[in-house]
Amino acid sequence: MPAINEVTNLEVNSNIAVLTLNSPPVNALSAKVREGLHVGVKQTTEDDNVKAVVLICEGRTFIAGADITEFGQAPKGPSLFEVLDMIENSSKPIISAIHGTALGGGLEVALTCHYRIAIPSAKCGLPEVKLGLLPGAGGTQRLPRVVGAQKALQMVTSGEHVPAKECLEMGLIDEMANEDSLLEDAIKFASTIVKENRPLVKVKENEENIKADKGNHALFADFRKSIARRTRGFLAPEYNIQCIEAAVNKPFEEGIKVERELFTKLVTGSQSAAQRYVFFAERLVNKIPDIPSETELIEVNSVGVIGAGTMGGGISMNFANVGIPVTIIEQNQERLDRGLAIIKKNYENTANKGRISMEDVETRMALITGELSLDTLNSQDLIIEAVFENMALKKEIFRKLDGISKAGTILASNTSALNVNEIAAETKRPEDVIGLHFFSPANVMKLLEIVRGEKTSKSIVASSMAIAKKIGKIAAVVGVCPGFVGNRILGQRQREANKLILEGALPWDIDDALFNFGFPMGPFAMSDLAGLDIGWNKETSKGETLRDILCESGRLGQKSGKGFYLYDENRNKSPDPEVEAIIRKFAEAKQIRLRDISKEEILERCLYPMINEGFKILEEGMAIRASDIDIVWINGYGWPAYEGGPMFYGSLVGFDKILDWLKKMEQELGSEFKPSSYLEKVVNENINIFV
Ligand code: 3HC
Ligand code: NAI
């Protein structure tokens, strides 16, 4: 095949040119790919033999977007705009032939082609919003001209990958190819276009699909309202909306100007920098340096779960959702029935919201079997223990499992704090034991901490990573230490939040500061949600702590209508002067002088100790890399992705500044602020912790 450059080939047969890109892994629009496209299209326009051009990709996918690694670097070669102009203004019809995913700049390329054909498994989308961006090469202006404003708004603000069938229905693709014969079908389609002398369709000239919405402000106002909660704090969704609004209300060229201006703002801003960092961090977290990719995996075709409580139920749903049968063990029939009923109710609720069908509920429930004896766990590939957090009980269960489960079964504990090495030592196969720390609600939360014990084998770790992926979790490998990575860092924030109350900040001051930073809720709203009486005992309570006093006065949290906050009948919270009075009285009794505390100080006190703990975790080797800590906090605790996670945020604040602050606090408030020696090293030796 005649090569244009290392990643592009051009071949002409019977008047149809086939321009093929082959730039693994995802044919991203790097300088080389842009050059190949530019030269290739130019050659086809100059070649009189060519009557039409098929643009197709080798490998796993059509163009998956701009090359994200190039953002922030000096531009090289032809720009994407030059390439798109060349395609759109070609005198010969250009047909993009899509498999895998046509995403971002990839879909923008396809939208400047005159026709699009795809195979049924292909998907199209503009996922820039997930990188804190907007489609910057005409996507926001061309997409609504094909699919209308409403659908375009949905696509650009969600970043969803839309299946080919739906794309066909909404006109985003013109023709469906057979799954196994894309090239052949694309060439046939191109020949038909030539034979029938079909027009050179330029999407930018199509006003038909947007004209009805010109001046329709309500459409955009309603849409903004509908996504407000989900997108709070993020800049990109709003900028994407403004672009679609421009597409509908302004001429194409003016709309493009709006798009370029807003794209530039986003791509040079801190939110997108953080979100692009998170994109790569999410991929890096899957890489375990000492575990080769060819490590033998245990295939998980059946699962056992012990305990049908809060966690066991949610954990089981993950597997039933992907068609893997689960056996759940409980200690008695009543608890088993209750656990299974809650699972069923959860599925029914999802079905009522239209997210799954009633048949799905039946199919999934049919995959879950309840049993009362551990002896039934003799054939499963993976067993996850989720009984009470009690070491003696967990040890007993693992001893028994050792005698019951088949050789090679992955034996996992969902413990949130207990020592996995100690649990593993109860068995004669500690190499098969691992911690799989799910987060509540386990069927919803994305994060899974994979707790690698001292003796856990590489195959068990790799197999756990693989099964996590299968059930749609983002897994981070962590070491055995109290609280692992996530809760260990949470402990720092919780301690400081509690201390701040007795220095003068009110619970809602602290919650507001963290909520405005971007967390879904602050620690006190969270405590009210969970219940203040978890771990509190009426009989032994001595009114010694603020929590004792709140619980003793019936303030148990949301469930009793009041806790740190007061709740109305719809569970809307408001600050309660009574709580303020309780705090003041408590402080007086303890002879504590309360002072005014600024939002800035609240954030420093809550966040900087978390970053310090992150460094201690790295120093002890309990996380593989700094970005894994960020992934844990974004996916398990709601750290806003646009702030990049605690370690990334720390780098923006400046590790030197944080170190100085910690030293000062250590002197003023004590050893809890002692800086990690690794943080000192990073600052003193100017080490980049993100490589
Ligand atoms: N640029 C550079 N590298 C990319 C990339 C991109 N756009 N997309 C993926 N990669 C890299 C990944 O980092 C990964 O590298 P690694 O193997 O070294 O870790 C490799 O390609 C494979 O990626 P995945 O592991 O994610 O592979 P999957 O098969 O699971 O997923 C995918 C493939 C759906 C294409 C997914 O990679 C993806 O969603 N990519 C990003 C798509 C995107 O956001 N496109 C828009 C870019 S911005 C843009 O186009 C701006 C324009 O409007 C001007
Ligand atoms: P839970 O109290 O809701 O459920 C535990 C269940 O285990 C109960 O239904 C109980 O009957 C059952 N059980 C006890 N002994 C048993 C036995 N011998 N055989 C079979 N079943 C038995 O507790 P929850 O919250 O589900 O916690 C379970 C585990 O998950 C604990 O180790 C906890 O630390 C951990 N965890 C809890 C999280 C949470 O938010 N609740 C989050 C992450 C981990």
Side-chain angles (χ1 to χ4, degrees), residues 25-26 28 60 64-69 71 80 101 103-105 108 127-128 131 134-137 161 279-280 283 287:
V26 295
R60 67 217 246 198
D67 186 336
I68 306 167
T69 58
F71 289 137
L80 188 50
T101 44
L103 299 178
E108 290 176 301
E128 285 85 345
L131 300 168
L134 53 85
H161 298 182
F279 175 85
F280 288 111
R283 276 138 190 94
K287 295 178 180 135

PDB file of all heavy atoms in Angstrom, residues 25-26 28 60 64-69 71 80 101 103-105 108 127-128 131 134-137 161 279-280 283 287, ligand 1:
ATOM      1  N   PRO A  25      -2.458   3.609  19.954  1.00  0.00           N
ATOM      2  CA  PRO A  25      -3.532   2.633  20.210  1.00  0.00           C
ATOM      3  C   PRO A  25      -4.909   3.072  19.702  1.00  0.00           C
ATOM      4  O   PRO A  25      -5.737   2.233  19.426  1.00  0.00           O
ATOM      5  CB  PRO A  25      -3.541   2.525  21.747  1.00  0.00           C
ATOM      6  CG  PRO A  25      -3.001   3.836  22.230  1.00  0.00           C
ATOM      7  CD  PRO A  25      -2.045   4.331  21.179  1.00  0.00           C
ATOM      8  N   VAL A  26      -5.169   4.400  19.551  1.00  0.00           N
ATOM      9  CA  VAL A  26      -6.556   4.790  19.286  1.00  0.00           C
ATOM     10  C   VAL A  26      -6.701   5.757  18.106  1.00  0.00           C
ATOM     11  O   VAL A  26      -7.703   6.440  17.974  1.00  0.00           O
ATOM     12  CB  VAL A  26      -7.228   5.379  20.561  1.00  0.00           C
ATOM     13  CG1 VAL A  26      -7.343   4.337  21.656  1.00  0.00           C
ATOM     14  CG2 VAL A  26      -6.498   6.621  21.069  1.00  0.00           C
ATOM     15  N   ALA A  28      -5.454   8.595  17.613  1.00  0.00           N
ATOM     16  CA  ALA A  28      -5.658   9.985  18.041  1.00  0.00           C
ATOM     17  C   ALA A  28      -5.023  10.923  17.011  1.00  0.00           C
ATOM     18  O   ALA A  28      -4.066  10.555  16.314  1.00  0.00           O
ATOM     19  CB  ALA A  28      -5.046  10.214  19.417  1.00  0.00           C
ATOM     20  N   ARG A  60      -8.096  -0.934  16.759  1.00  0.00           N
ATOM     21  CA  ARG A  60      -9.312  -1.150  17.529  1.00  0.00           C
ATOM     22  C   ARG A  60     -10.402  -0.103  17.312  1.00  0.00           C
ATOM     23  O   ARG A  60     -11.546  -0.311  17.705  1.00  0.00           O
ATOM     24  CB  ARG A  60      -8.998  -1.265  19.026  1.00  0.00           C
ATOM     25  CG  ARG A  60      -8.491   0.003  19.669  1.00  0.00           C
ATOM     26  CD  ARG A  60      -7.454  -0.362  20.694  1.00  0.00           C
ATOM     27  NE  ARG A  60      -7.867  -0.065  22.056  1.00  0.00           N
ATOM     28  CZ  ARG A  60      -6.989   0.019  23.047  1.00  0.00           C
ATOM     29  NH1 ARG A  60      -5.701  -0.183  22.819  1.00  0.00           N
ATOM     30  NH2 ARG A  60      -7.376   0.280  24.259  1.00  0.00           N
ATOM     31  N   ALA A  64     -10.120   8.437  17.904  1.00  0.00           N
ATOM     32  CA  ALA A  64     -10.768   8.614  19.219  1.00  0.00           C
ATOM     33  C   ALA A  64     -10.610  10.021  19.756  1.00  0.00           C
ATOM     34  O   ALA A  64     -10.874  10.273  20.926  1.00  0.00           O
ATOM     35  CB  ALA A  64     -10.223   7.593  20.210  1.00  0.00           C
ATOM     36  N   GLY A  65     -10.157  10.962  18.918  1.00  0.00           N
ATOM     37  CA  GLY A  65     -10.096  12.345  19.390  1.00  0.00           C
ATOM     38  C   GLY A  65      -8.756  12.979  19.133  1.00  0.00           C
ATOM     39  O   GLY A  65      -7.850  12.363  18.553  1.00  0.00           O
ATOM     40  N   ALA A  66      -8.645  14.230  19.585  1.00  0.00           N
ATOM     41  CA  ALA A  66      -7.351  14.907  19.530  1.00  0.00           C
ATOM     42  C   ALA A  66      -6.374  14.111  20.401  1.00  0.00           C
ATOM     43  O   ALA A  66      -6.790  13.334  21.260  1.00  0.00           O
ATOM     44  CB  ALA A  66      -7.505  16.317  20.071  1.00  0.00           C
ATOM     45  N   ASP A  67      -5.079  14.289  20.155  1.00  0.00           N
ATOM     46  CA  ASP A  67      -4.084  13.618  20.986  1.00  0.00           C
ATOM     47  C   ASP A  67      -3.923  14.425  22.269  1.00  0.00           C
ATOM     48  O   ASP A  67      -3.344  15.513  22.264  1.00  0.00           O
ATOM     49  CB  ASP A  67      -2.754  13.525  20.229  1.00  0.00           C
ATOM     50  CG  ASP A  67      -1.738  12.700  20.989  1.00  0.00           C
ATOM     51  OD1 ASP A  67      -1.870  12.592  22.232  1.00  0.00           O
ATOM     52  OD2 ASP A  67      -0.816  12.161  20.366  1.00  0.00           O
ATOM     53  N   ILE A  68      -4.454  13.872  23.358  1.00  0.00           N
ATOM     54  CA  ILE A  68      -4.511  14.647  24.608  1.00  0.00           C
ATOM     55  C   ILE A  68      -3.106  14.989  25.112  1.00  0.00           C
ATOM     56  O   ILE A  68      -2.914  16.007  25.777  1.00  0.00           O
ATOM     57  CB  ILE A  68      -5.300  13.868  25.693  1.00  0.00           C
ATOM     58  CG1 ILE A  68      -6.680  13.467  25.165  1.00  0.00           C
ATOM     59  CG2 ILE A  68      -5.480  14.706  26.955  1.00  0.00           C
ATOM     60  CD1 ILE A  68      -7.396  12.446  26.029  1.00  0.00           C
ATOM     61  N   THR A  69      -2.144  14.148  24.762  1.00  0.00           N
ATOM     62  CA  THR A  69      -0.777  14.413  25.257  1.00  0.00           C
ATOM     63  C   THR A  69      -0.182  15.665  24.601  1.00  0.00           C
ATOM     64  O   THR A  69       0.803  16.208  25.080  1.00  0.00           O
ATOM     65  CB  THR A  69       0.155  13.219  24.974  1.00  0.00           C
ATOM     66  OG1 THR A  69       0.160  12.989  23.566  1.00  0.00           O
ATOM     67  CG2 THR A  69      -0.286  11.974  25.691  1.00  0.00           C
ATOM     68  N   PHE A  71      -1.808  18.563  24.197  1.00  0.00           N
ATOM     69  CA  PHE A  71      -2.336  19.825  24.736  1.00  0.00           C
ATOM     70  C   PHE A  71      -1.251  20.518  25.540  1.00  0.00           C
ATOM     71  O   PHE A  71      -0.536  19.888  26.306  1.00  0.00           O
ATOM     72  CB  PHE A  71      -3.558  19.587  25.632  1.00  0.00           C
ATOM     73  CG  PHE A  71      -4.796  19.175  24.863  1.00  0.00           C
ATOM     74  CD1 PHE A  71      -5.606  18.169  25.335  1.00  0.00           C
ATOM     75  CD2 PHE A  71      -5.141  19.798  23.683  1.00  0.00           C
ATOM     76  CE1 PHE A  71      -6.746  17.775  24.643  1.00  0.00           C
ATOM     77  CE2 PHE A  71      -6.276  19.429  22.979  1.00  0.00           C
ATOM     78  CZ  PHE A  71      -7.078  18.413  23.456  1.00  0.00           C
ATOM     79  N   LEU A  80      -5.721  21.044  13.126  1.00  0.00           N
ATOM     80  CA  LEU A  80      -6.923  20.256  12.862  1.00  0.00           C
ATOM     81  C   LEU A  80      -7.893  21.056  11.979  1.00  0.00           C
ATOM     82  O   LEU A  80      -8.564  20.506  11.113  1.00  0.00           O
ATOM     83  CB  LEU A  80      -7.582  19.871  14.198  1.00  0.00           C
ATOM     84  CG  LEU A  80      -8.752  18.898  14.143  1.00  0.00           C
ATOM     85  CD1 LEU A  80      -8.428  17.665  13.311  1.00  0.00           C
ATOM     86  CD2 LEU A  80      -9.161  18.474  15.550  1.00  0.00           C
ATOM     87  N   THR A 101     -14.812   3.580  18.156  1.00  0.00           N
ATOM     88  CA  THR A 101     -15.440   4.830  18.597  1.00  0.00           C
ATOM     89  C   THR A 101     -14.948   6.009  17.764  1.00  0.00           C
ATOM     90  O   THR A 101     -13.755   6.142  17.533  1.00  0.00           O
ATOM     91  CB  THR A 101     -15.096   5.112  20.076  1.00  0.00           C
ATOM     92  OG1 THR A 101     -13.707   4.857  20.268  1.00  0.00           O
ATOM     93  CG2 THR A 101     -15.900   4.280  21.041  1.00  0.00           C
ATOM     94  N   LEU A 103     -14.721   9.611  18.442  1.00  0.00           N
ATOM     95  CA  LEU A 103     -14.907  10.476  19.609  1.00  0.00           C
ATOM     96  C   LEU A 103     -14.217  11.817  19.421  1.00  0.00           C
ATOM     97  O   LEU A 103     -13.163  11.909  18.786  1.00  0.00           O
ATOM     98  CB  LEU A 103     -14.330   9.809  20.863  1.00  0.00           C
ATOM     99  CG  LEU A 103     -14.953   8.481  21.277  1.00  0.00           C
ATOM    100  CD1 LEU A 103     -14.225   7.921  22.506  1.00  0.00           C
ATOM    101  CD2 LEU A 103     -16.435   8.633  21.578  1.00  0.00           C
ATOM    102  N   GLY A 104     -14.791  12.855  20.031  1.00  0.00           N
ATOM    103  CA  GLY A 104     -14.167  14.167  20.049  1.00  0.00           C
ATOM    104  C   GLY A 104     -13.752  14.604  18.662  1.00  0.00           C
ATOM    105  O   GLY A 104     -14.541  14.582  17.707  1.00  0.00           O
ATOM    106  N   GLY A 105     -12.449  14.966  18.528  1.00  0.00           N
ATOM    107  CA  GLY A 105     -11.921  15.370  17.229  1.00  0.00           C
ATOM    108  C   GLY A 105     -12.200  14.323  16.159  1.00  0.00           C
ATOM    109  O   GLY A 105     -12.326  14.663  14.974  1.00  0.00           O
ATOM    110  N   GLU A 108     -15.533  14.973  15.006  1.00  0.00           N
ATOM    111  CA  GLU A 108     -15.491  16.254  14.278  1.00  0.00           C
ATOM    112  C   GLU A 108     -14.956  16.049  12.863  1.00  0.00           C
ATOM    113  O   GLU A 108     -15.442  16.659  11.911  1.00  0.00           O
ATOM    114  CB  GLU A 108     -14.636  17.265  15.065  1.00  0.00           C
ATOM    115  CG  GLU A 108     -15.350  17.687  16.358  1.00  0.00           C
ATOM    116  CD  GLU A 108     -14.518  18.619  17.219  1.00  0.00           C
ATOM    117  OE1 GLU A 108     -13.409  18.212  17.613  1.00  0.00           O
ATOM    118  OE2 GLU A 108     -14.964  19.741  17.506  1.00  0.00           O
ATOM    119  N   PRO A 127     -16.849  13.486  23.910  1.00  0.00           N
ATOM    120  CA  PRO A 127     -16.617  13.351  25.363  1.00  0.00           C
ATOM    121  C   PRO A 127     -15.706  14.424  25.960  1.00  0.00           C
ATOM    122  O   PRO A 127     -15.256  14.278  27.094  1.00  0.00           O
ATOM    123  CB  PRO A 127     -15.946  11.972  25.459  1.00  0.00           C
ATOM    124  CG  PRO A 127     -15.203  11.838  24.174  1.00  0.00           C
ATOM    125  CD  PRO A 127     -15.972  12.619  23.132  1.00  0.00           C
ATOM    126  N   GLU A 128     -15.442  15.492  25.214  1.00  0.00           N
ATOM    127  CA  GLU A 128     -14.508  16.518  25.703  1.00  0.00           C
ATOM    128  C   GLU A 128     -14.852  17.017  27.095  1.00  0.00           C
ATOM    129  O   GLU A 128     -13.973  17.337  27.896  1.00  0.00           O
ATOM    130  CB  GLU A 128     -14.455  17.700  24.734  1.00  0.00           C
ATOM    131  CG  GLU A 128     -13.668  17.445  23.461  1.00  0.00           C
ATOM    132  CD  GLU A 128     -14.465  16.771  22.356  1.00  0.00           C
ATOM    133  OE1 GLU A 128     -15.557  16.236  22.647  1.00  0.00           O
ATOM    134  OE2 GLU A 128     -14.011  16.770  21.203  1.00  0.00           O
ATOM    135  N   LEU A 131     -13.031  15.848  29.934  1.00  0.00           N
ATOM    136  CA  LEU A 131     -11.661  16.350  30.088  1.00  0.00           C
ATOM    137  C   LEU A 131     -11.684  17.836  30.448  1.00  0.00           C
ATOM    138  O   LEU A 131     -10.679  18.536  30.340  1.00  0.00           O
ATOM    139  CB  LEU A 131     -10.887  16.166  28.779  1.00  0.00           C
ATOM    140  CG  LEU A 131     -10.741  14.730  28.268  1.00  0.00           C
ATOM    141  CD1 LEU A 131     -10.221  14.726  26.840  1.00  0.00           C
ATOM    142  CD2 LEU A 131      -9.811  13.937  29.165  1.00  0.00           C
ATOM    143  N   LEU A 134     -14.473  21.437  25.625  1.00  0.00           N
ATOM    144  CA  LEU A 134     -15.605  21.341  24.704  1.00  0.00           C
ATOM    145  C   LEU A 134     -15.020  20.982  23.343  1.00  0.00           C
ATOM    146  O   LEU A 134     -13.820  21.164  23.114  1.00  0.00           O
ATOM    147  CB  LEU A 134     -16.391  22.655  24.670  1.00  0.00           C
ATOM    148  CG  LEU A 134     -15.654  23.963  24.382  1.00  0.00           C
ATOM    149  CD1 LEU A 134     -15.493  24.225  22.897  1.00  0.00           C
ATOM    150  CD2 LEU A 134     -16.426  25.118  25.006  1.00  0.00           C
ATOM    151  N   PRO A 135     -15.845  20.433  22.460  1.00  0.00           N
ATOM    152  CA  PRO A 135     -15.321  20.069  21.141  1.00  0.00           C
ATOM    153  C   PRO A 135     -14.845  21.346  20.451  1.00  0.00           C
ATOM    154  O   PRO A 135     -15.641  22.243  20.217  1.00  0.00           O
ATOM    155  CB  PRO A 135     -16.532  19.469  20.428  1.00  0.00           C
ATOM    156  CG  PRO A 135     -17.498  19.114  21.522  1.00  0.00           C
ATOM    157  CD  PRO A 135     -17.268  20.122  22.594  1.00  0.00           C
ATOM    158  N   GLY A 136     -13.551  21.417  20.158  1.00  0.00           N
ATOM    159  CA  GLY A 136     -12.985  22.692  19.715  1.00  0.00           C
ATOM    160  C   GLY A 136     -12.725  22.767  18.228  1.00  0.00           C
ATOM    161  O   GLY A 136     -12.079  23.697  17.764  1.00  0.00           O
ATOM    162  N   ALA A 137     -13.219  21.802  17.485  1.00  0.00           N
ATOM    163  CA  ALA A 137     -12.962  21.835  16.043  1.00  0.00           C
ATOM    164  C   ALA A 137     -14.285  21.783  15.275  1.00  0.00           C
ATOM    165  O   ALA A 137     -14.467  21.006  14.342  1.00  0.00           O
ATOM    166  CB  ALA A 137     -12.046  20.685  15.642  1.00  0.00           C
ATOM    167  N   HIS A 161     -21.238   7.968  24.810  1.00  0.00           N
ATOM    168  CA  HIS A 161     -20.900   7.321  23.548  1.00  0.00           C
ATOM    169  C   HIS A 161     -22.201   6.734  22.987  1.00  0.00           C
ATOM    170  O   HIS A 161     -22.761   5.801  23.549  1.00  0.00           O
ATOM    171  CB  HIS A 161     -19.899   6.184  23.757  1.00  0.00           C
ATOM    172  CG  HIS A 161     -18.580   6.636  24.328  1.00  0.00           C
ATOM    173  ND1 HIS A 161     -17.527   5.781  24.562  1.00  0.00           N
ATOM    174  CD2 HIS A 161     -18.144   7.860  24.707  1.00  0.00           C
ATOM    175  CE1 HIS A 161     -16.512   6.459  25.046  1.00  0.00           C
ATOM    176  NE2 HIS A 161     -16.866   7.731  25.164  1.00  0.00           N
ATOM    177  N   PHE A 279      -7.748  11.725  33.672  1.00  0.00           N
ATOM    178  CA  PHE A 279      -7.917  10.759  32.563  1.00  0.00           C
ATOM    179  C   PHE A 279      -6.735   9.784  32.542  1.00  0.00           C
ATOM    180  O   PHE A 279      -6.912   8.569  32.491  1.00  0.00           O
ATOM    181  CB  PHE A 279      -8.026  11.512  31.229  1.00  0.00           C
ATOM    182  CG  PHE A 279      -8.069  10.606  30.022  1.00  0.00           C
ATOM    183  CD1 PHE A 279      -9.269  10.061  29.591  1.00  0.00           C
ATOM    184  CD2 PHE A 279      -6.909  10.286  29.324  1.00  0.00           C
ATOM    185  CE1 PHE A 279      -9.318   9.208  28.484  1.00  0.00           C
ATOM    186  CE2 PHE A 279      -6.948   9.439  28.212  1.00  0.00           C
ATOM    187  CZ  PHE A 279      -8.158   8.902  27.795  1.00  0.00           C
ATOM    188  N   PHE A 280      -5.522  10.323  32.588  1.00  0.00           N
ATOM    189  CA  PHE A 280      -4.351   9.444  32.526  1.00  0.00           C
ATOM    190  C   PHE A 280      -4.178   8.669  33.840  1.00  0.00           C
ATOM    191  O   PHE A 280      -3.786   7.512  33.826  1.00  0.00           O
ATOM    192  CB  PHE A 280      -3.095  10.240  32.160  1.00  0.00           C
ATOM    193  CG  PHE A 280      -3.114  10.681  30.718  1.00  0.00           C
ATOM    194  CD1 PHE A 280      -3.250  12.018  30.378  1.00  0.00           C
ATOM    195  CD2 PHE A 280      -3.054   9.750  29.693  1.00  0.00           C
ATOM    196  CE1 PHE A 280      -3.304  12.422  29.041  1.00  0.00           C
ATOM    197  CE2 PHE A 280      -3.115  10.136  28.344  1.00  0.00           C
ATOM    198  CZ  PHE A 280      -3.236  11.475  28.023  1.00  0.00           C
ATOM    199  N   ARG A 283      -6.056   5.512  33.927  1.00  0.00           N
ATOM    200  CA  ARG A 283      -5.460   4.426  33.148  1.00  0.00           C
ATOM    201  C   ARG A 283      -4.230   3.861  33.855  1.00  0.00           C
ATOM    202  O   ARG A 283      -4.001   2.669  33.873  1.00  0.00           O
ATOM    203  CB  ARG A 283      -5.130   4.916  31.738  1.00  0.00           C
ATOM    204  CG  ARG A 283      -6.360   4.820  30.861  1.00  0.00           C
ATOM    205  CD  ARG A 283      -6.632   5.945  29.952  1.00  0.00           C
ATOM    206  NE  ARG A 283      -7.969   5.778  29.381  1.00  0.00           N
ATOM    207  CZ  ARG A 283      -9.064   6.326  29.893  1.00  0.00           C
ATOM    208  NH1 ARG A 283      -8.993   7.079  30.968  1.00  0.00           N
ATOM    209  NH2 ARG A 283     -10.247   6.107  29.348  1.00  0.00           N
ATOM    210  N   LYS A 287      -2.099  -0.226  36.211  1.00  0.00           N
ATOM    211  CA  LYS A 287      -0.777  -0.809  35.956  1.00  0.00           C
ATOM    212  C   LYS A 287      -0.057  -1.088  37.278  1.00  0.00           C
ATOM    213  O   LYS A 287       0.213  -0.173  38.042  1.00  0.00           O
ATOM    214  CB  LYS A 287       0.036   0.119  35.057  1.00  0.00           C
ATOM    215  CG  LYS A 287      -0.645   0.204  33.683  1.00  0.00           C
ATOM    216  CD  LYS A 287       0.022   1.117  32.702  1.00  0.00           C
ATOM    217  CE  LYS A 287      -0.795   1.053  31.401  1.00  0.00           C
ATOM    218  NZ  LYS A 287      -1.085   2.287  30.769  1.00  0.00           N
TER     219      LYS A 287
HETATM  220  N1  3HC B   1      -5.065  11.042  23.175  1.00  0.00           N
HETATM  221  C1  3HC B   1      -3.940  10.416  23.593  1.00  0.00           C
HETATM  222  N2  3HC B   1      -3.945   9.171  24.119  1.00  0.00           N
HETATM  223  C2  3HC B   1      -5.126   8.547  24.211  1.00  0.00           C
HETATM  224  C3  3HC B   1      -6.321   9.139  23.792  1.00  0.00           C
HETATM  225  C4  3HC B   1      -6.271  10.441  23.236  1.00  0.00           C
HETATM  226  N3  3HC B   1      -7.365  11.082  22.795  1.00  0.00           N
HETATM  227  N4  3HC B   1      -7.340   8.278  24.009  1.00  0.00           N
HETATM  228  C5  3HC B   1      -6.788   7.182  24.554  1.00  0.00           C
HETATM  229  N5  3HC B   1      -5.455   7.336  24.677  1.00  0.00           N
HETATM  230  C6  3HC B   1      -4.480   6.345  25.177  1.00  0.00           C
HETATM  231  C7  3HC B   1      -4.722   6.013  26.648  1.00  0.00           C
HETATM  232  O1  3HC B   1      -4.048   6.901  27.488  1.00  0.00           O
HETATM  233  C8  3HC B   1      -4.179   4.605  26.723  1.00  0.00           C
HETATM  234  O2  3HC B   1      -2.767   4.700  26.820  1.00  0.00           O
HETATM  235  P1  3HC B   1      -1.949   3.587  27.640  1.00  0.00           P
HETATM  236  O3  3HC B   1      -2.222   2.294  26.947  1.00  0.00           O
HETATM  237  O4  3HC B   1      -0.566   4.076  27.535  1.00  0.00           O
HETATM  238  O5  3HC B   1      -2.507   3.631  29.038  1.00  0.00           O
HETATM  239  C9  3HC B   1      -4.503   4.011  25.362  1.00  0.00           C
HETATM  240  O6  3HC B   1      -4.753   5.121  24.507  1.00  0.00           O
HETATM  241  C10 3HC B   1      -5.728   3.133  25.359  1.00  0.00           C
HETATM  242  O7  3HC B   1      -6.792   3.829  25.988  1.00  0.00           O
HETATM  243  P2  3HC B   1      -7.798   3.085  26.973  1.00  0.00           P
HETATM  244  O8  3HC B   1      -7.052   2.276  27.961  1.00  0.00           O
HETATM  245  O9  3HC B   1      -8.732   4.117  27.472  1.00  0.00           O
HETATM  246  O10 3HC B   1      -8.511   2.091  25.941  1.00  0.00           O
HETATM  247  P3  3HC B   1     -10.022   1.627  25.866  1.00  0.00           P
HETATM  248  O11 3HC B   1     -10.078   0.702  24.720  1.00  0.00           O
HETATM  249  O12 3HC B   1     -10.513   1.203  27.192  1.00  0.00           O
HETATM  250  O13 3HC B   1     -10.845   2.947  25.486  1.00  0.00           O
HETATM  251  C11 3HC B   1     -11.305   4.940  24.254  1.00  0.00           C
HETATM  252  C12 3HC B   1     -10.651   3.548  24.242  1.00  0.00           C
HETATM  253  C13 3HC B   1     -12.832   4.790  24.406  1.00  0.00           C
HETATM  254  C14 3HC B   1     -10.987   5.609  22.954  1.00  0.00           C
HETATM  255  C15 3HC B   1     -10.769   5.756  25.449  1.00  0.00           C
HETATM  256  O14 3HC B   1      -9.359   5.721  25.419  1.00  0.00           O
HETATM  257  C16 3HC B   1     -11.182   7.204  25.472  1.00  0.00           C
HETATM  258  O15 3HC B   1     -12.257   7.515  25.910  1.00  0.00           O
HETATM  259  N6  3HC B   1     -10.285   8.092  25.015  1.00  0.00           N
HETATM  260  C17 3HC B   1     -10.467   9.514  25.092  1.00  0.00           C
HETATM  261  C18 3HC B   1     -11.463  10.007  24.076  1.00  0.00           C
HETATM  262  C19 3HC B   1     -11.595  11.491  24.174  1.00  0.00           C
HETATM  263  O16 3HC B   1     -11.740  12.056  25.235  1.00  0.00           O
HETATM  264  N7  3HC B   1     -11.548  12.158  23.030  1.00  0.00           N
HETATM  265  C20 3HC B   1     -11.630  13.590  22.983  1.00  0.00           C
HETATM  266  C21 3HC B   1     -10.249  14.154  23.060  1.00  0.00           C
HETATM  267  S1  3HC B   1     -10.228  15.922  23.170  1.00  0.00           S
HETATM  268  C22 3HC B   1     -10.583  16.440  21.603  1.00  0.00           C
HETATM  269  O17 3HC B   1     -10.781  15.653  20.721  1.00  0.00           O
HETATM  270  C23 3HC B   1     -10.581  17.937  21.395  1.00  0.00           C
HETATM  271  C24 3HC B   1     -11.112  18.308  20.052  1.00  0.00           C
HETATM  272  O18 3HC B   1     -12.440  18.654  20.161  1.00  0.00           O
HETATM  273  C25 3HC B   1     -10.368  19.454  19.468  1.00  0.00           C
END
